mmCIF file of all heavy atoms in Angstrom:
data_model
loop_
_atom_site.group_PDB
_atom_site.id
_atom_site.type_symbol
_atom_site.label_atom_id
_atom_site.label_comp_id
_atom_site.label_asym_id
_atom_site.label_seq_id
_atom_site.Cartn_x
_atom_site.Cartn_y
_atom_site.Cartn_z
ATOM 1 N N ASP P 219 82.154 -64.381 63.501
ATOM 2 C CA ASP P 219 82.963 -64.468 64.725
ATOM 3 C C ASP P 219 82.784 -63.198 65.565
ATOM 4 O O ASP P 219 82.102 -62.250 65.181
ATOM 5 C CB ASP P 219 84.427 -64.740 64.411
ATOM 6 C CG ASP P 219 85.138 -63.581 63.704
ATOM 7 O OD1 ASP P 219 84.543 -62.501 63.581
ATOM 8 O OD2 ASP P 219 86.285 -63.773 63.279
ATOM 9 N N PHE P 220 83.399 -63.175 66.726
ATOM 10 C CA PHE P 220 83.236 -62.085 67.688
ATOM 11 C C PHE P 220 83.611 -60.739 67.092
ATOM 12 O O PHE P 220 82.843 -59.771 67.167
ATOM 13 C CB PHE P 220 84.076 -62.376 68.938
ATOM 14 C CG PHE P 220 84.095 -61.242 69.925
ATOM 15 C CD1 PHE P 220 83.005 -61.006 70.743
ATOM 16 C CD2 PHE P 220 85.191 -60.407 70.017
ATOM 17 C CE1 PHE P 220 83.016 -59.948 71.643
ATOM 18 C CE2 PHE P 220 85.206 -59.359 70.917
ATOM 19 C CZ PHE P 220 84.119 -59.131 71.728
ATOM 20 N N LEU P 221 84.787 -60.640 66.467
ATOM 21 C CA LEU P 221 85.244 -59.361 65.937
ATOM 22 C C LEU P 221 84.399 -58.900 64.752
ATOM 23 O O LEU P 221 84.082 -57.712 64.616
ATOM 24 C CB LEU P 221 86.723 -59.422 65.552
ATOM 25 C CG LEU P 221 87.698 -59.563 66.715
ATOM 26 C CD1 LEU P 221 89.123 -59.696 66.198
ATOM 27 C CD2 LEU P 221 87.583 -58.385 67.654
ATOM 28 N N GLY P 222 84.030 -59.829 63.878
ATOM 29 C CA GLY P 222 83.208 -59.472 62.726
ATOM 30 C C GLY P 222 81.848 -58.933 63.135
ATOM 31 O O GLY P 222 81.377 -57.923 62.597
ATOM 32 N N GLN P 223 81.208 -59.569 64.100
ATOM 33 C CA GLN P 223 79.904 -59.099 64.559
ATOM 34 C C GLN P 223 80.025 -57.785 65.331
ATOM 35 O O GLN P 223 79.174 -56.907 65.215
ATOM 36 C CB GLN P 223 79.224 -60.170 65.408
ATOM 37 C CG GLN P 223 78.779 -61.343 64.559
ATOM 38 C CD GLN P 223 77.888 -62.289 65.304
ATOM 39 O OE1 GLN P 223 76.990 -61.871 66.032
ATOM 40 N NE2 GLN P 223 78.114 -63.583 65.115
ATOM 41 N N ARG P 224 81.090 -57.652 66.088
ATOM 42 C CA ARG P 224 81.307 -56.392 66.814
ATOM 43 C C ARG P 224 81.525 -55.238 65.832
ATOM 44 O O ARG P 224 80.976 -54.152 66.009
ATOM 45 C CB ARG P 224 82.503 -56.554 67.748
ATOM 46 C CG ARG P 224 82.708 -55.390 68.635
ATOM 47 C CD ARG P 224 83.787 -55.676 69.643
ATOM 48 N NE ARG P 224 84.147 -54.441 70.299
ATOM 49 C CZ ARG P 224 84.265 -54.311 71.584
ATOM 50 N NH1 ARG P 224 84.089 -55.350 72.367
ATOM 51 N NH2 ARG P 224 84.592 -53.162 72.111
ATOM 52 N N LEU P 225 82.299 -55.477 64.769
ATOM 53 C CA LEU P 225 82.519 -54.457 63.750
ATOM 54 C C LEU P 225 81.198 -54.099 63.063
ATOM 55 O O LEU P 225 80.890 -52.921 62.858
ATOM 56 C CB LEU P 225 83.537 -54.942 62.725
ATOM 57 C CG LEU P 225 83.770 -54.042 61.515
ATOM 58 C CD1 LEU P 225 84.259 -52.659 61.939
ATOM 59 C CD2 LEU P 225 84.749 -54.692 60.553
ATOM 60 N N ALA P 226 80.404 -55.100 62.716
ATOM 61 C CA ALA P 226 79.121 -54.856 62.052
ATOM 62 C C ALA P 226 78.209 -54.011 62.933
ATOM 63 O O ALA P 226 77.587 -53.051 62.455
ATOM 64 C CB ALA P 226 78.452 -56.175 61.699
ATOM 65 N N ARG P 227 78.125 -54.331 64.206
ATOM 66 C CA ARG P 227 77.264 -53.550 65.119
ATOM 67 C C ARG P 227 77.747 -52.103 65.240
ATOM 68 O O ARG P 227 76.956 -51.162 65.280
ATOM 69 C CB ARG P 227 77.198 -54.218 66.483
ATOM 70 C CG ARG P 227 76.330 -55.452 66.484
ATOM 71 C CD ARG P 227 76.087 -55.995 67.897
ATOM 72 N NE ARG P 227 75.271 -57.179 67.827
ATOM 73 C CZ ARG P 227 75.756 -58.413 67.808
ATOM 74 N NH1 ARG P 227 77.049 -58.624 67.855
ATOM 75 N NH2 ARG P 227 74.935 -59.452 67.750
ATOM 76 N N HIS P 228 79.055 -51.941 65.297
ATOM 77 C CA HIS P 228 79.627 -50.590 65.370
ATOM 78 C C HIS P 228 79.283 -49.795 64.106
ATOM 79 O O HIS P 228 78.880 -48.625 64.198
ATOM 80 C CB HIS P 228 81.141 -50.667 65.565
ATOM 81 C CG HIS P 228 81.808 -49.326 65.569
ATOM 82 N ND1 HIS P 228 81.733 -48.474 66.641
ATOM 83 C CD2 HIS P 228 82.529 -48.688 64.622
ATOM 84 C CE1 HIS P 228 82.393 -47.364 66.357
ATOM 85 N NE2 HIS P 228 82.877 -47.474 65.137
ATOM 86 N N LEU P 229 79.415 -50.423 62.940
ATOM 87 C CA LEU P 229 79.090 -49.733 61.693
ATOM 88 C C LEU P 229 77.603 -49.394 61.616
ATOM 89 O O LEU P 229 77.227 -48.323 61.134
ATOM 90 C CB LEU P 229 79.508 -50.581 60.491
ATOM 91 C CG LEU P 229 81.016 -50.743 60.292
ATOM 92 C CD1 LEU P 229 81.292 -51.736 59.178
ATOM 93 C CD2 LEU P 229 81.675 -49.404 60.011
ATOM 94 N N LEU P 230 76.739 -50.294 62.091
ATOM 95 C CA LEU P 230 75.309 -50.021 62.104
ATOM 96 C C LEU P 230 74.997 -48.823 62.998
ATOM 97 O O LEU P 230 74.186 -47.961 62.646
ATOM 98 C CB LEU P 230 74.524 -51.247 62.573
ATOM 99 C CG LEU P 230 74.487 -52.423 61.610
ATOM 100 C CD1 LEU P 230 73.926 -53.652 62.303
ATOM 101 C CD2 LEU P 230 73.675 -52.074 60.371
ATOM 102 N N ASP P 231 75.635 -48.761 64.156
ATOM 103 C CA ASP P 231 75.424 -47.633 65.068
ATOM 104 C C ASP P 231 75.927 -46.330 64.455
ATOM 105 O O ASP P 231 75.301 -45.286 64.594
ATOM 106 C CB ASP P 231 76.123 -47.869 66.406
ATOM 107 C CG ASP P 231 75.465 -48.942 67.244
ATOM 108 O OD1 ASP P 231 74.291 -49.283 66.972
ATOM 109 O OD2 ASP P 231 76.125 -49.447 68.164
ATOM 110 N N ARG P 232 77.054 -46.409 63.780
ATOM 111 C CA ARG P 232 77.658 -45.222 63.169
ATOM 112 C C ARG P 232 76.828 -44.728 61.991
ATOM 113 O O ARG P 232 76.628 -43.534 61.824
ATOM 114 C CB ARG P 232 79.073 -45.562 62.747
ATOM 115 C CG ARG P 232 79.842 -44.417 62.219
ATOM 116 C CD ARG P 232 81.236 -44.840 61.883
ATOM 117 N NE ARG P 232 81.910 -43.719 61.287
ATOM 118 C CZ ARG P 232 83.150 -43.423 61.497
ATOM 119 N NH1 ARG P 232 83.872 -44.176 62.291
ATOM 120 N NH2 ARG P 232 83.695 -42.384 60.909
ATOM 121 N N GLY P 233 76.416 -45.650 61.123
ATOM 122 C CA GLY P 233 75.535 -45.301 60.019
ATOM 123 C C GLY P 233 76.207 -44.818 58.754
ATOM 124 O O GLY P 233 75.579 -44.753 57.712
ATOM 125 N N SER P 234 77.484 -44.443 58.820
ATOM 126 C CA SER P 234 78.171 -43.962 57.622
ATOM 127 C C SER P 234 79.669 -44.188 57.746
ATOM 128 O O SER P 234 80.193 -44.426 58.835
ATOM 129 C CB SER P 234 77.890 -42.481 57.399
ATOM 130 O OG SER P 234 78.466 -41.708 58.432
ATOM 131 N N LEU P 235 80.331 -44.109 56.593
ATOM 132 C CA LEU P 235 81.787 -44.200 56.513
ATOM 133 C C LEU P 235 82.281 -43.041 55.657
ATOM 134 O O LEU P 235 81.534 -42.503 54.829
ATOM 135 C CB LEU P 235 82.218 -45.511 55.841
ATOM 136 C CG LEU P 235 81.925 -46.790 56.593
ATOM 137 C CD1 LEU P 235 82.214 -47.994 55.704
ATOM 138 C CD2 LEU P 235 82.789 -46.854 57.840
ATOM 139 N N ALA P 236 83.540 -42.676 55.810
ATOM 140 C CA ALA P 236 84.121 -41.643 54.959
ATOM 141 C C ALA P 236 84.452 -42.263 53.606
ATOM 142 O O ALA P 236 85.063 -43.322 53.529
ATOM 143 C CB ALA P 236 85.372 -41.066 55.594
ATOM 144 N N GLY P 237 84.038 -41.593 52.551
ATOM 145 C CA GLY P 237 84.335 -42.049 51.201
ATOM 146 C C GLY P 237 85.724 -41.619 50.779
ATOM 147 O O GLY P 237 86.463 -40.993 51.547
ATOM 148 N N PRO P 238 86.109 -41.921 49.547
ATOM 149 C CA PRO P 238 87.453 -41.578 49.067
ATOM 150 C C PRO P 238 87.717 -40.074 49.048
ATOM 151 O O PRO P 238 88.860 -39.650 49.157
ATOM 152 C CB PRO P 238 87.509 -42.166 47.658
ATOM 153 C CG PRO P 238 86.134 -42.542 47.299
ATOM 154 C CD PRO P 238 85.336 -42.629 48.556
ATOM 155 N N ASP P 239 86.661 -39.275 48.949
ATOM 156 C CA ASP P 239 86.831 -37.826 48.959
ATOM 157 C C ASP P 239 86.657 -37.230 50.357
ATOM 158 O O ASP P 239 86.680 -36.016 50.532
ATOM 159 C CB ASP P 239 85.861 -37.170 47.980
ATOM 160 C CG ASP P 239 84.406 -37.465 48.297
ATOM 161 O OD1 ASP P 239 84.132 -38.182 49.281
ATOM 162 O OD2 ASP P 239 83.539 -36.983 47.552
ATOM 163 N N GLY P 240 86.471 -38.090 51.351
ATOM 164 C CA GLY P 240 86.323 -37.637 52.727
ATOM 165 C C GLY P 240 84.902 -37.333 53.132
ATOM 166 O O GLY P 240 84.624 -37.098 54.300
ATOM 167 N N ARG P 241 83.982 -37.335 52.184
ATOM 168 C CA ARG P 241 82.578 -37.059 52.497
ATOM 169 C C ARG P 241 81.927 -38.324 53.051
ATOM 170 O O ARG P 241 82.289 -39.428 52.678
ATOM 171 C CB ARG P 241 81.826 -36.602 51.258
ATOM 172 C CG ARG P 241 82.321 -35.279 50.719
ATOM 173 C CD ARG P 241 81.417 -34.829 49.589
ATOM 174 N NE ARG P 241 81.976 -33.721 48.862
ATOM 175 C CZ ARG P 241 81.815 -32.445 49.204
ATOM 176 N NH1 ARG P 241 81.127 -32.151 50.287
ATOM 177 N NH2 ARG P 241 82.344 -31.486 48.490
ATOM 178 N N PRO P 242 80.929 -38.163 53.920
ATOM 179 C CA PRO P 242 80.265 -39.342 54.483
ATOM 180 C C PRO P 242 79.455 -40.095 53.437
ATOM 181 O O PRO P 242 78.864 -39.491 52.537
ATOM 182 C CB PRO P 242 79.346 -38.760 55.558
ATOM 183 C CG PRO P 242 79.166 -37.333 55.189
ATOM 184 C CD PRO P 242 80.389 -36.915 54.442
ATOM 185 N N GLU P 243 79.469 -41.405 53.543
ATOM 186 C CA GLU P 243 78.671 -42.274 52.682
ATOM 187 C C GLU P 243 77.837 -43.169 53.590
ATOM 188 O O GLU P 243 78.367 -43.830 54.484
ATOM 189 C CB GLU P 243 79.569 -43.106 51.770
ATOM 190 C CG GLU P 243 80.356 -42.247 50.802
ATOM 191 C CD GLU P 243 81.160 -43.041 49.810
ATOM 192 O OE1 GLU P 243 81.311 -44.266 49.980
ATOM 193 O OE2 GLU P 243 81.654 -42.431 48.850
ATOM 194 N N ARG P 244 76.509 -43.157 53.384
ATOM 195 C CA ARG P 244 75.605 -43.945 54.228
ATOM 196 C C ARG P 244 75.812 -45.441 53.991
ATOM 197 O O ARG P 244 75.954 -45.888 52.854
ATOM 198 C CB ARG P 244 74.155 -43.601 53.904
ATOM 199 C CG ARG P 244 73.708 -42.269 54.416
ATOM 200 C CD ARG P 244 72.231 -42.064 54.136
ATOM 201 N NE ARG P 244 71.952 -42.126 52.702
ATOM 202 C CZ ARG P 244 71.808 -41.070 51.920
ATOM 203 N NH1 ARG P 244 71.925 -39.871 52.428
ATOM 204 N NH2 ARG P 244 71.544 -41.209 50.636
#
Side-chain angles (χ1 to χ4, degrees):
D219 68 8
F220 174 77
L221 292 177
Q223 289 191 43
R224 186 173 168 133
L225 174 59
R227 285 189 181 95
H228 177 75
L229 291 173
L230 290 169
D231 289 342
R232 185 178 176 142
S234 66
L235 293 171
D239 59 0
R241 295 186 191 273
E243 296 185 348
R244 286 184 300 261

